[in-house]
Amino acid sequence: MIEVKNLNKSFGDAHVLKGISTSFENGKTSLVIGQSGSGKTVFLKCLLGLFYPEEGTISYDGKIYSELNSDEKRDLRSEMGMVFQGSALFDSMTILENVMFPLRMFTKQNKSEMEDRADFVLKRVNLADAHYKMPSEASGGMQKRVAIARAIVNKPKYLFCDEPNSGLDPKTAIVIDNLIQEITEEYNITTVINSHDMNSVMEIGEKIVFLKDGLKAWEGSKETIFKTDNKVVTDFVYSSELFKKVRQMYLEERQ
Amino acid sequence: MTYLHNIGAYFIMIKDMFRKPTKWSVMKTLIFKDIDDLIIGSLGIVAFISFFVGGVVTIQTALNITSPLIPKYLVGFATRQSVILEFAPTFISIIMAGKVGSFITSSIGTMRVTEQIDALEVMGINAINYLVFPKFIALMLYPFVISIAMFLGIIGGMAACIYGGFSTLDDYITGIQMDFIPFHVTYAFIKTFVFAFCLATIPSFHGYFMKGGALEVGKASTTAFVWTSVVIILLNYILTQLLLS
């Protein structure tokens, strides 16, 4: 479980995160949504320890990040998996080597053990026959799946995804969403996803945190987002006619 | 202020290069890959340039010796001195700043742009050690490249001398053996080690701390080449003053 308390982060005069407090539970897929520039990426990078907040604390299963020494921080980071927006695969390595990379860095497994584990997770993300391709030879959807495989290969406790669906067609996006949710439940991981994609919100948002101008404007789930009257949320989530109709139908069904 | 900030950031990067070392089994692979990319991959161009520049030095020296009182073996002597003292360690290092430096900056810069460095940091890996240290170790073999440059420069001079009819082989060999001071080779290799350190770290700094996209990768490569060359030229002057004067 990740608990965030009163998180504040500035860059010069720009106060990007303004006292955000929330929590993300184990085995659940949580989404952080908001407009571009609302502070989602900065928030995620604070969770990852890439940015240091000026104020506030982030605790991972009770361990407060800012109070850990460098070795403890390193150990904690080895328990994190991250899926970057652009996949961030190492382009000098094959897909198999990319997936094996965290194992090579953090475990004492021999080569065949690492290959077995990498093979297992590649099959789990439905990439059974792409082991020896280079990342540049893989499609966007395949690259995302490799990134997910790399993120989960070392059995992380925390999985972070920055816009995992960006640049993907709607069908592949749903496959990726479902894959992340299945993996989260299967391995009881705490998953936090940054997203703009309203399909993802409706599909897998077991917890949704809505950021606006660096503030937490709303918090709920995929069920409560239909019922909320919060104008800031409804203006953002139901900005398209399609989602307006979906919401209307949902509310009519409930009545 | 920006210059001071960058100089400070550069020295912090040097310190971080030796912190939290990457697992040896992984580092070993990276070092061999960088030896292949940076050292072995540079041998061809270094050999080509050394041979022909050695020849040009010989021709120009021979053509400027017009007085019959000056012995012909001076051509070999001048070629040896030029190649060992200046051409091989400094001129080749400037060329390597272009070849190896731009390769290092663009490869690390591309990793920055495509979030590969962020991926390393998220995993708890010391990205500076992972990326820069193997290049630093690989470039400690740079004196091997310079030895080849020295040898081929002198051989190129010999070929030009004989085939151009500027002096005989005996005169040339007498010239290259004349008044040989072994410390000049030591001086050349001390410079080479210092330049190798600059070649590994300055382009890495520009790649690692670059911001922006593909266009900025190109700009960072150019900036890295300029600064590496400037630092090499300045250090060349300082080391020559310290070691030879």
Side-chain angles (χ1 to χ4, degrees):
Chain A
M1 183 176 184
I2 301 173
E3 279 184 286
V4 180
K5 283 183 190 159
N6 191 32
L7 196 69
N8 281 277
K9 175 70 189 167
S10 302
F11 295 96
D13 293 336
H15 196 175
V16 181
L17 300 180
K18 300 164 186 166
I20 294 176
S21 297
T22 186
S23 62
F24 304 107
E25 288 176 36
N26 291 355
K28 286 196 174 171
T29 312
S30 306
L31 275 92
V32 180
I33 60 169
Q35 286 180 309
S36 298
S38 59
K40 297 190 303 294
T41 301
V42 174
F43 180 66
L44 197 69
K45 288 195 172 179
C46 286
L47 293 184
L48 286 161
L50 291 177
F51 288 157
Y52 293 95
E54 283 91 39
E55 213 179 306
T57 58
I58 305 168
S59 66
Y60 301 83
D61 292 312
K63 289 181 273 186
I64 298 173
Y65 188 81
S66 56
E67 291 176 1
L68 302 177
N69 64 36
S70 56
D71 287 339
E72 288 168 334
K73 279 180 184 166
R74 194 181 178 206
D75 290 344
L76 179 64
R77 278 183 166 184
S78 67
E79 293 176 344
M80 295 177 183
M82 171 73 188
V83 179
F84 284 87
Q85 192 171 355
S87 299
L89 300 178
F90 301 119
D91 44 23
S92 58
M93 299 179 193
T94 63
I95 283 175
L96 180 68
E97 286 167 343
N98 262 284
V99 177
M100 278 167 53
F101 185 78
L103 300 175
R104 286 179 69 199
M105 295 303 291
F106 298 110
T107 70
K108 289 178 180 169
Q109 294 177 14
N110 61 39
K111 200 178 173 208
S112 68
E113 286 171 329
M114 285 191 280
E115 280 180 351
D116 287 348
R117 174 71 188 155
D119 187 53
F120 173 78
V121 285
L122 279 169
K123 280 181 183 152
R124 181 67 193 80
V125 297
N126 306 319
L127 279 176
D129 50 2
H131 293 42
Y132 299 105
K133 280 187 177 177
M134 299 304 284
S136 57
E137 296 167 336
S139 67
M142 279 170 81
Q143 288 186 12
K144 282 278 156 66
R145 281 184 279 165
V146 177
I148 293 169
R150 186 178 68 183
I152 62 166
V153 72
N154 203 19
K155 299 174 183 168
K157 287 165 82 175
Y158 316 100
L159 178 65
F160 302 96
C161 308
D162 191 12
E163 314 239 1
N165 293 335
S166 67
L168 299 181
D169 62 88
K171 197 176 171 187
T172 312
I174 289 169
V175 170
I176 297 291
D177 279 343
N178 292 335
L179 184 63
I180 291 171
Q181 192 175 34
E182 283 165 23
I183 286 166
T184 301
E185 286 169 9
E186 200 173 313
Y187 300 113
N188 198 32
I189 302 171
T190 307
T191 298
V192 182
I193 302 174
N194 260 4
S195 188
H196 277 126
D197 186 355
M198 288 309 116
N199 280 322
S200 301
V201 173
M202 306 301 180
E203 195 80 27
I204 58 168
E206 291 175 279
K207 171 157 188 174
I208 300 162
V209 176
F210 181 80
L211 298 187
K212 184 170 170 58
D213 300 330
L215 289 161
K216 187 180 80 177
W218 183 82
E219 189 174 274
S221 67
K222 62 183 175 185
E223 287 82 23
T224 55
I225 204 162
F226 282 112
K227 298 173 200 161
T228 182
D229 292 327
N230 186 320
K231 195 175 175 327
V232 179
V233 179
T234 52
D235 283 354
F236 176 75
V237 178
Y238 303 108
S239 53
S240 81
E241 287 303 316
L242 178 67
F243 281 110
K244 271 182 196 160
K245 281 179 187 164
V246 171
R247 188 187 188 216
Q248 206 175 350
M249 283 165 64
Y250 177 87
L251 294 174
E252 280 169 8
E253 262 179 33
R254 294 280 149 151
Q255 283 169 1
Chain B
M1 280 306 283
T2 313
Y3 287 123
L4 282 177
H5 172 84
N6 284 341
I7 291 167
Y10 172 75
F11 284 107
I12 291 169
M13 184 196 83
I14 302 293
K15 191 186 84 183
D16 286 348
M17 190 168 80
F18 298 100
R19 279 181 55 242
K20 280 199 336 194
T22 304
K23 263 171 83 173
W24 173 241
S25 59
V26 178
M27 182 55 78
K28 194 173 59 181
T29 317
L30 295 171
I31 290 171
F32 282 125
K33 189 181 175 301
D34 280 333
I35 288 173
D36 189 35
D37 287 339
L38 307 178
I39 301 292
I40 310 293
S42 302
L43 289 178
I45 186 74
V46 167
F48 179 79
I49 292 171
S50 303
F51 186 84
F52 284 100
V53 173
V56 169
V57 169
T58 299
I59 293 168
Q60 288 184 348
T61 309
L63 292 176
N64 280 289
I65 298 174
T66 49
S67 168
L69 296 174
I70 300 173
K72 287 288 180 190
Y73 59 71
L74 198 72
V75 176
F77 175 79
T79 304
R80 183 200 74 201
Q81 290 298 86
S82 307
V83 166
I84 289 178
L85 291 174
E86 227 28 64
F87 163 72
T90 312
F91 187 70
I92 290 291
S93 295
I94 298 292
I95 291 163
M96 290 287 273
K99 188 197 176 288
V100 166
S102 59
F103 171 77
I104 292 174
T105 307
S106 56
S107 57
I108 296 180
T110 305
M111 288 185 76
R112 169 64 74 195
V113 170
T114 54
E115 296 181 308
Q116 292 175 50
I117 292 178
D118 287 344
L120 289 170
E121 286 172 351
V122 165
M123 287 180 208
I125 294 164
N126 177 1
I128 292 177
N129 176 267
Y130 181 86
L131 295 170
V132 186
F133 188 73
K135 290 171 178 53
F136 163 68
I137 296 295
L139 279 166
M140 287 299 106
L141 293 179
Y142 183 51
F144 167 69
V145 176
I146 296 304
S147 308
I148 289 172
M150 287 174 179
F151 177 75
L152 287 174
I154 291 170
I155 294 293
M158 187 173 77
C161 198
I162 294 162
Y163 292 111
F166 299 108
S167 77
T168 62
L169 177 62
D170 286 346
D171 278 343
Y172 188 83
I173 289 176
T174 306
I176 60 174
Q177 290 176 331
M178 208 181 91
D179 288 343
F180 177 67
I181 301 168
F183 182 71
H184 284 176
V185 177
T186 310
Y187 155 78
F189 281 121
I190 290 171
K191 287 205 300 188
T192 305
F193 273 113
V194 174
F195 296 161
F197 184 81
C198 296
L199 284 171
T201 54
I202 296 174
S204 296
F205 172 79
H206 284 279
Y208 191 84
F209 291 102
M210 65 141 301
K211 289 185 177 81
L215 183 65
E216 281 74 18
V217 174
K219 283 181 184 168
S221 299
T222 310
T223 312
F225 169 67
V226 170
W227 278 108
T228 311
S229 305
V230 167
V231 172
I232 285 173
I233 297 292
L234 283 176
L235 287 174
N236 185 39
Y237 175 80
I238 293 165
L239 288 170
T240 305
Q241 182 75 32
L242 287 173
L243 296 170
L244 290 189
S245 66

